[in-house]
Amino acid sequence: MKKIKVMSVFGTRPEGIKMGPVVKALADDDRFTSVVVSTGQHAEMLQQVLDVFAVKPDYDLKIMKPGQTLTGITVTTMTKLEPIIQKEHPDIMLVHGDTSSAYAAALTAFYNQVAIGHVEAGLRTWNKYSPYPEEMNRQMIDDLADLYFAPTKTSAHNLALGNHQQGVVITGNTAIDALHYTINQDYQHSVLDEIDSEHKIILLTMHRRENWGQPMEETFKAIKKVVDERENIDVIYPVHLNPKVQMVAKKILGGDNHFHLIAPLNVVDFHNLMSKALLVMSDSGGVQEEAPALHKPVLVLRDTTERPEGVSAGTLKLIGNQYENVVEELSTLLDSEDEYQKMSEAKNPYGDGRASKRILDAIAKWFEQK
Ligand code: UD1
Ligand code: UDP
């Protein structure tokens, strides 16, 4: 039987983490020929992920520039990707999630009449500017797609609301598949040597565009107040390489002994440090899926989330970015055993770690029925 040629296109850290297991599964499956294209929207932060999954892209568009703009990412991805599509003639392109390079790749596939499979389809806040520009990127990708790999029933329902009923498969999230490659019980890291073993650890990340500036400043000041009032809390914060984030993090949290500001971690380090933390504070998308699987409560530093399953399950709490609110919510979670137990014991709603296999089977079935 003719093999199905699948071109996977991704280029940021979170796309790499969630496409890593899919690309590995494709390479091991005789039904497929796999072509991997890195957009290079992220440079160093993607390379860390590729190293962990031992993925070597067949093509690298190398689009990243310091201070890149949304339009720049979109136009450069399209211009550099089109000749590769025309050379390789894939049967289907897989894109992931909601980055600008994922949208640009999907649009280029459509212009070249290549079928599109959307991994992590159907996430929604229904708020055009939150997260910005991701909410519209993912809606526009779903308008272009032929196959939709929805992580949960809620995301499949969102797709139906947008009139996408055909080609929808509920798979679970590939972020949970990735945890099988990374978690290691005997894990150690040098940052843990700086922390008293009796101390509790908060793992912090923050990077979203809509949080740049004042929301980020207020949030950091609030966390600093709560942590500095206590003797036994340390915060590990791997700071995103975006200069807009680096500047605020250093200004407010730099020089405080309770805060360990470190370079972005590779995903093995990040997942294992998460498993050693008491709780997580983050505006990240992927972190909201991984932490529940490790039974870690997440205080989500946003006003909206496209991961409402975790909020309903009780493992995520949306706390926004206002100083008083962040102080109150963090203090409660640190001081109330009941609250902590309730959040950490909630059930992970994002799947069983076999999403990649379901995605491959769905692609094969779709081509069989065509
Ligand atoms: C992008 C995605 C966002 C995703 C995030 C994951 C868009 C619009 N945004 O946002 O959805 O949540 O990735 O982290 O697609 N930089 C480096 N080295 C790196 C990575 C970034 O120096 O390896 C710096 C560069 O100066 C770059 C800047 O960070 O210009 C911003 O990167 P960009 O991809 O535009 O935005 P993110 O905030 O990372
Ligand atoms: N992550 C990582 N190293 C870090 C911080 C995060 O490997 O220092 C991982 C994390 O486990 C998750 C993903 O990166 O899988 C989230 O990426 P990010 O927050 O950049 O993007 P988002 O998920 O918000 O799109």
Side-chain angles (χ1 to χ4, degrees), residues 13-14 17 45 205 207-208 238 240 263-267 270-271 274 283-287 290:
R13 169 173 68 191
I17 293 168
M45 283 165 53
T205 78
H207 72 88
R208 302 228 83 84
H240 192 291
L265 291 160
N266 79 44
V267 64
F270 191 78
H271 284 174
M274 193 187 315
D283 66 356
S284 159
V287 171
E290 297 157 349

Short mmCIF file of all heavy atoms in Angstrom, two decimals, residues 13-14 17 45 205 207-208 238 240 263-267 270-271 274 283-287 290, ligand 2:
data_model
loop_
_atom_site.label_atom_id
_atom_site.label_comp_id
_atom_site.label_asym_id
_atom_site.label_seq_id
_atom_site.Cartn_x
_atom_site.Cartn_y
_atom_site.Cartn_z
N ARG A 13 8.66 26.27 21.30
CA ARG A 13 8.87 25.27 22.36
C ARG A 13 7.62 24.41 22.61
O ARG A 13 7.72 23.17 22.54
CB ARG A 13 9.30 25.98 23.64
CG ARG A 13 9.28 25.08 24.86
CD ARG A 13 9.86 25.75 26.07
NE ARG A 13 9.06 26.83 26.56
CZ ARG A 13 9.45 27.70 27.48
NH1 ARG A 13 10.67 27.62 27.99
NH2 ARG A 13 8.66 28.67 27.91
N PRO A 14 6.47 25.01 22.90
CA PRO A 14 5.34 24.13 23.23
C PRO A 14 4.88 23.25 22.07
O PRO A 14 4.46 22.11 22.28
CB PRO A 14 4.22 25.11 23.64
CG PRO A 14 4.61 26.43 23.07
CD PRO A 14 6.10 26.43 23.05
N ILE A 17 7.19 20.28 22.05
CA ILE A 17 6.93 19.32 23.13
C ILE A 17 5.71 18.46 22.78
O ILE A 17 5.71 17.24 22.96
CB ILE A 17 6.71 20.06 24.47
CG1 ILE A 17 8.03 20.71 24.90
CG2 ILE A 17 6.18 19.11 25.56
CD1 ILE A 17 7.92 21.69 26.04
N MET A 45 15.02 27.89 22.34
CA MET A 45 13.99 27.21 23.13
C MET A 45 13.41 26.00 22.40
O MET A 45 12.93 25.07 23.02
CB MET A 45 12.89 28.20 23.53
CG MET A 45 13.34 29.11 24.68
SD MET A 45 12.31 30.55 24.96
CE MET A 45 10.70 29.87 25.11
N THR A 205 6.05 30.41 35.69
CA THR A 205 6.39 30.85 34.33
C THR A 205 5.38 31.93 33.92
O THR A 205 4.24 31.94 34.38
CB THR A 205 6.33 29.73 33.25
OG1 THR A 205 4.98 29.47 32.87
CG2 THR A 205 7.00 28.45 33.68
N HIS A 207 4.69 34.56 30.25
CA HIS A 207 5.25 35.09 29.00
C HIS A 207 4.24 35.73 28.06
O HIS A 207 4.62 36.36 27.08
CB HIS A 207 5.96 33.97 28.23
CG HIS A 207 5.02 32.96 27.63
ND1 HIS A 207 4.48 33.12 26.38
CD2 HIS A 207 4.52 31.80 28.10
CE1 HIS A 207 3.69 32.09 26.10
NE2 HIS A 207 3.69 31.28 27.15
N ARG A 208 2.93 35.58 28.30
CA ARG A 208 1.93 35.94 27.28
C ARG A 208 1.96 37.42 26.91
O ARG A 208 2.10 38.28 27.78
CB ARG A 208 0.52 35.60 27.76
CG ARG A 208 0.27 34.16 28.11
CD ARG A 208 -1.00 33.66 27.48
NE ARG A 208 -0.70 33.28 26.13
CZ ARG A 208 -0.20 32.08 25.80
NH1 ARG A 208 -0.03 31.15 26.69
NH2 ARG A 208 0.08 31.83 24.55
N PRO A 238 12.10 29.77 35.53
CA PRO A 238 12.86 29.78 34.28
C PRO A 238 12.26 30.86 33.38
O PRO A 238 11.12 30.76 32.94
CB PRO A 238 12.62 28.37 33.70
CG PRO A 238 11.45 27.80 34.44
CD PRO A 238 11.12 28.66 35.61
N HIS A 240 11.43 33.14 30.29
CA HIS A 240 11.31 33.12 28.82
C HIS A 240 12.34 34.07 28.21
O HIS A 240 12.63 35.13 28.79
CB HIS A 240 9.88 33.56 28.46
CG HIS A 240 9.48 33.33 27.03
ND1 HIS A 240 10.04 34.03 25.98
CD2 HIS A 240 8.59 32.48 26.46
CE1 HIS A 240 9.50 33.63 24.84
NE2 HIS A 240 8.61 32.68 25.10
N ALA A 263 17.69 30.24 33.37
CA ALA A 263 17.41 30.19 31.92
C ALA A 263 16.28 29.19 31.66
O ALA A 263 16.04 28.30 32.49
CB ALA A 263 18.68 29.75 31.19
N PRO A 264 15.58 29.33 30.51
CA PRO A 264 14.55 28.33 30.19
C PRO A 264 15.12 26.93 30.32
O PRO A 264 16.25 26.66 29.91
CB PRO A 264 14.20 28.65 28.74
CG PRO A 264 14.55 30.07 28.55
CD PRO A 264 15.74 30.33 29.45
N LEU A 265 14.32 26.05 30.89
CA LEU A 265 14.79 24.68 31.13
C LEU A 265 14.44 23.79 29.95
O LEU A 265 13.43 24.03 29.28
CB LEU A 265 14.06 24.13 32.37
CG LEU A 265 14.45 24.78 33.69
CD1 LEU A 265 13.37 24.53 34.74
CD2 LEU A 265 15.80 24.26 34.16
N ASN A 266 15.26 22.75 29.76
CA ASN A 266 14.78 21.79 28.76
C ASN A 266 13.60 21.05 29.38
O ASN A 266 13.38 21.10 30.59
CB ASN A 266 15.90 20.88 28.26
CG ASN A 266 16.22 19.76 29.22
OD1 ASN A 266 15.33 19.12 29.77
ND2 ASN A 266 17.50 19.53 29.42
N VAL A 267 12.84 20.38 28.55
CA VAL A 267 11.53 19.88 29.01
C VAL A 267 11.68 18.76 30.05
O VAL A 267 10.83 18.63 30.95
CB VAL A 267 10.65 19.48 27.80
CG1 VAL A 267 11.25 18.35 27.02
CG2 VAL A 267 9.25 19.18 28.24
N PHE A 270 12.16 20.70 33.19
CA PHE A 270 10.95 21.42 33.59
C PHE A 270 9.91 20.45 34.17
O PHE A 270 9.34 20.69 35.24
CB PHE A 270 10.37 22.19 32.41
CG PHE A 270 9.28 23.13 32.84
CD1 PHE A 270 9.59 24.35 33.43
CD2 PHE A 270 7.95 22.80 32.71
CE1 PHE A 270 8.59 25.22 33.86
CE2 PHE A 270 6.94 23.65 33.14
CZ PHE A 270 7.26 24.87 33.72
N HIS A 271 9.66 19.36 33.50
CA HIS A 271 8.65 18.41 34.00
C HIS A 271 9.06 17.82 35.34
O HIS A 271 8.24 17.67 36.24
CB HIS A 271 8.45 17.28 32.99
CG HIS A 271 7.64 17.69 31.78
ND1 HIS A 271 7.44 16.88 30.70
CD2 HIS A 271 6.97 18.84 31.50
CE1 HIS A 271 6.69 17.50 29.80
NE2 HIS A 271 6.40 18.69 30.26
N MET A 274 8.72 20.33 38.04
CA MET A 274 7.29 20.48 38.36
C MET A 274 6.84 19.36 39.30
O MET A 274 6.11 19.59 40.25
CB MET A 274 6.46 20.44 37.06
CG MET A 274 5.05 20.89 37.30
SD MET A 274 3.92 20.72 35.93
CE MET A 274 4.71 21.27 34.51
N ASP A 283 1.06 31.53 33.26
CA ASP A 283 0.08 31.95 32.25
C ASP A 283 0.23 31.07 31.00
O ASP A 283 -0.34 31.36 29.95
CB ASP A 283 0.21 33.44 31.90
CG ASP A 283 1.53 33.78 31.21
OD1 ASP A 283 2.41 32.90 31.06
OD2 ASP A 283 1.69 34.96 30.82
N SER A 284 1.02 30.00 31.13
CA SER A 284 1.27 29.12 29.99
C SER A 284 0.06 28.24 29.69
O SER A 284 -0.71 27.90 30.58
CB SER A 284 2.47 28.24 30.34
OG SER A 284 2.48 27.09 29.55
N GLY A 285 -0.06 27.85 28.43
CA GLY A 285 -1.12 26.93 28.05
C GLY A 285 -0.77 25.50 28.42
O GLY A 285 -1.49 24.85 29.18
N GLY A 286 0.38 25.03 27.92
CA GLY A 286 0.76 23.63 28.11
C GLY A 286 0.88 23.25 29.58
O GLY A 286 0.51 22.14 29.98
N VAL A 287 1.37 24.17 30.38
CA VAL A 287 1.55 23.88 31.81
C VAL A 287 0.21 23.55 32.47
O VAL A 287 0.13 22.72 33.38
CB VAL A 287 2.24 25.09 32.49
CG1 VAL A 287 2.25 24.93 34.00
CG2 VAL A 287 3.67 25.25 31.97
N GLU A 290 -0.20 19.81 31.85
CA GLU A 290 0.76 18.87 32.43
C GLU A 290 0.64 18.78 33.95
O GLU A 290 0.72 17.69 34.53
CB GLU A 290 2.19 19.32 32.08
CG GLU A 290 2.46 19.31 30.60
CD GLU A 290 3.60 20.24 30.19
OE1 GLU A 290 4.06 21.06 31.02
OE2 GLU A 290 4.04 20.15 29.04
N1 UDP B 2 8.55 24.43 29.48
C1 UDP B 2 9.88 24.04 29.34
N2 UDP B 2 10.86 24.79 29.92
C2 UDP B 2 10.58 25.92 30.60
C3 UDP B 2 9.23 26.35 30.71
C4 UDP B 2 8.25 25.58 30.12
O1 UDP B 2 10.17 22.99 28.74
O2 UDP B 2 11.51 26.56 31.11
C5 UDP B 2 7.52 23.64 28.80
C6 UDP B 2 6.29 23.26 29.61
O3 UDP B 2 6.45 21.99 30.22
C7 UDP B 2 5.19 23.23 28.56
C8 UDP B 2 5.65 24.22 27.53
O4 UDP B 2 7.04 24.44 27.75
O5 UDP B 2 5.12 21.98 27.92
C9 UDP B 2 4.88 25.51 27.66
O6 UDP B 2 5.48 26.45 26.85
P1 UDP B 2 5.12 27.98 26.90
O7 UDP B 2 4.67 28.35 28.26
O8 UDP B 2 6.29 28.69 26.32
O9 UDP B 2 3.94 28.08 25.84
P2 UDP B 2 2.37 27.88 25.86
O10 UDP B 2 2.07 26.50 26.34
O11 UDP B 2 1.82 28.94 26.75
O12 UDP B 2 1.96 28.10 24.45
#
